[in-house]
Amino acid sequence: MRETPFARALVIGDPIDHSLSPTLHNAGYRALELQFCMEKRRITPENLPALFSEMRALRETPTRILGLAITMPLKVAALNLVDRLEEAASAIGAINTVYLSPAGELVGTNTDWLGIKRPIESKRNLSGAQVAILGAGGAALAAMHACVTGGGHVTLFNRNRDKALPICKKWGAVYQSFEALTQNVAEFDIIINATPVGMVEQKPDPSSPSSPSFDTLPLHSGQLVFETIYSPLRTPLVIHAESRGCTVIRGDEMFLEQALAQFTLHTGLTAPRLVMANALREALASPQG
Ligand code: NAP
């Protein structure tokens, strides 16, 4: 084993039991023979400041907390607790990662947008693309940052217009309701589902036009469909888009990419992609995944 001190990373949120982050990160640490460990910790917005105090108290010690992976509902609350924010995080307005810089600062950043940008750019150029983003929450804002900084032209579709309009204004995007999506979807090069519609527990309500169903959209080959959901792996949108001949990127690719970027920030080392991808595949294939 390499001579490295025992240090921990934490994945935090509420609930947190379901998180697959430790599976990926710990597989990566083992592969690089690092004496690090990622642990889950249930943290509510109320006890988040105490965690940051703990991180500051431990940061000079061998048992320091080398970083955080942050999930719901803490991605916005954690913004104000870091020593420094990276540009992407302040543009998106949410952080999913904290890392300890060599100078001992707690730096907040966001790797979710890389989890969207990198898989898209492995398939096609974002520059000049017409992009439809479905949703206006944290994942949609990460998608917005990825697409706008990549040179895409974005139309945002969301149920709640009042939430979507200021976002569109800030990013120079166009707002449309879900009622317009069926008519207009053929015009888009890239369609990104950043809503939970398609998760097992999130059934669409066919009686409400504001509660969309994405598995009947008139998609066509040549379009790239990006699903952010990874549980289930094959959502109704993924199955439908494949049947229409679209190129499909699934939520597990996003999850892997954001985790690889996070691993590098936490450790300063290149993440072992294959090992972490295999760990994710096995976890998602298991009954608990
Ligand atoms: P969020 O901040 O709560 O935002 C959810 C968005 O979806 C909101 O704009 C909401 O619309 C919309 N929405 C919710 N239920 C809807 C429904 N029944 N019909 C239409 N719109 C609905 O959530 P988030 O953090 O952005 O997460 C969104 C999705 O991204 C989740 O499925 C999550 O699993 C996925 N995600 C994946 C990864 C990954 O690594 N693969 C990472 C992050 C998130 P309103 O504004 O109208 O309420």
Side-chain angles (χ1 to χ4, degrees):
M1 298 285 272
R2 276 187 209 168
E3 289 302 311
T4 45
F6 177 80
R8 287 162 300 153
L10 300 177
V11 56
I12 60 167
D14 183 22
I16 199 60
D17 285 349
H18 67 285
S19 174
L20 295 177
S21 291
T23 305
L24 272 74
H25 287 257
N26 288 330
Y29 299 153
R30 279 194 299 276
L32 299 189
E33 300 185 352
L34 296 168
Q35 291 180 347
F36 294 162
C37 175
M38 181 178 270
E39 295 166 0
K40 296 177 191 176
R41 198 185 286 184
R42 184 177 158 265
I43 298 281
T44 61
E46 293 69 38
N47 50 29
L48 193 57
L51 172 64
F52 275 78
S53 301
E54 181 186 342
M55 290 175 78
R56 289 190 169 96
L58 291 175
R59 63 184 154 188
E60 308 284 337
T61 72
T63 55
R64 69 196 184 282
I65 297 171
L66 49 94
L68 302 175
I70 302 176
T71 183
M72 288 202 343
L74 307 172
K75 289 185 177 186
V76 176
L79 270 179
N80 299 319
L81 296 170
V82 295
D83 298 323
R84 179 161 63 84
L85 261 189
E86 285 195 351
E87 202 182 319
S90 87
I92 294 166
I95 58 177
N96 76 331
T97 305
V98 172
Y99 66 93
L100 200 53
S101 77
E105 294 167 303
L106 296 175
V107 185
T109 191
N110 190 308
T111 64
D112 283 337
W113 74 283
L114 295 170
I116 293 174
K117 186 170 182 165
R118 288 178 175 161
I120 291 178
E121 290 190 333
S122 73
K123 308 274 185 207
R124 62 153 296 150
N125 208 334
L126 263 166
S127 180
Q130 293 295 333
V131 184
I133 296 177
L134 320 183
L141 287 169
M144 184 71 92
H145 184 69
C147 294
V148 171
T149 57
H153 305 291
V154 175
T155 301
L156 191 75
F157 294 84
N158 197 50
R159 196 172 53 171
N160 180 341
R161 182 173 182 270
D162 291 344
K163 186 166 156 192
L165 284 179
I167 296 170
C168 289
K169 189 170 175 210
K170 173 179 171 182
W171 290 94
V174 173
Y175 169 74
Q176 289 192 8
S177 71
F178 279 121
E179 284 133 304
L181 183 65
T182 308
Q183 285 147 27
N184 300 343
V185 74
E187 295 166 16
F188 293 97
D189 303 307
I190 301 171
I191 297 111
I192 304 174
N193 178 27
T195 77
V197 174
M199 289 179 81
V200 181
E201 63 273 23
Q202 183 85 43
K203 299 278 182 224
D205 174 2
S207 64
S208 162
S210 61
S211 184
S213 127
F214 303 139
D215 53 354
T216 52
L217 290 171
L219 300 168
H220 59 80
S221 65
Q223 290 181 303
L224 174 62
V225 172
F226 193 123
E227 173 65 274
T228 62
I229 296 167
Y230 59 87
S231 180
L233 271 179
R234 289 173 54 71
T235 62
L237 175 62
V238 165
I239 294 166
H240 176 62
E242 284 176 356
S243 77
R244 305 284 295 194
C246 303
T247 302
V248 175
I249 298 171
R250 298 186 318 203
D252 54 330
E253 289 186 57
M254 175 180 175
F255 189 73
L256 175 65
E257 285 299 334
Q258 64 77 30
L260 293 171
Q262 204 165 57
F263 184 101
T264 297
L265 291 165
H266 287 167
T267 64
L269 299 169
T270 302
R273 171 182 288 273
L274 204 57
V275 168
M276 290 172 69
N278 284 338
L280 177 60
R281 189 176 315 113
E282 279 169 26
L284 289 170
S286 80
Q288 294 80 22

